[in-house]
Amino acid sequence: ASLCFPFSVTLPEGVTAHKVTAVTGDSKELTLESIGNIIPADEPVILQGAATDYTLTVNANKGTKSSDNISLVHRLSALA
């Protein structure tokens, strides 16, 4: 799953968030890097975990967004 919230969240155990650091192969291959269990506000991520229901904790602090996270909005829509 992918997500991008306008607020920071903390992930529960069993869920890992990854940011995209590179796109290759005509936008069909992504290089991912784990960002830990806290997702800053406005940080687009791809989540990895078992298929089940999870509860995310909303944080009061927005956190610091990565400067090297690649936006995939236009790249992925071109593949559809």
Side-chain angles (χ1 to χ4, degrees):
S2 62
L3 59 83
C4 183
F5 291 127
F7 46 84
S8 174
V9 297
T10 299
L11 299 174
E13 190 172 319
V15 180
T16 305
H18 303 276
K19 65 181 178 180
V20 177
T21 58
V23 180
T24 58
D26 295 328
S27 298
K28 295 181 182 175
E29 296 178 20
L30 307 177
T31 301
L32 303 177
E33 180 181 313
S34 176
I35 66 166
N37 71 330
I38 297 176
I39 302 173
D42 303 315
E43 182 82 60
V45 296
I46 295 174
L47 299 178
Q48 179 183 16
T52 188
D53 293 333
Y54 293 99
T55 300
L56 308 180
T57 303
V58 176
N59 301 319
N61 184 332
K62 290 190 108 179
T64 303
K65 184 178 173 187
S66 298
S67 61
D68 62 345
N69 199 341
I70 297 173
S71 173
L72 298 175
V73 173
H74 298 292
R75 295 174 192 247
L76 292 179
S77 62
L79 295 175

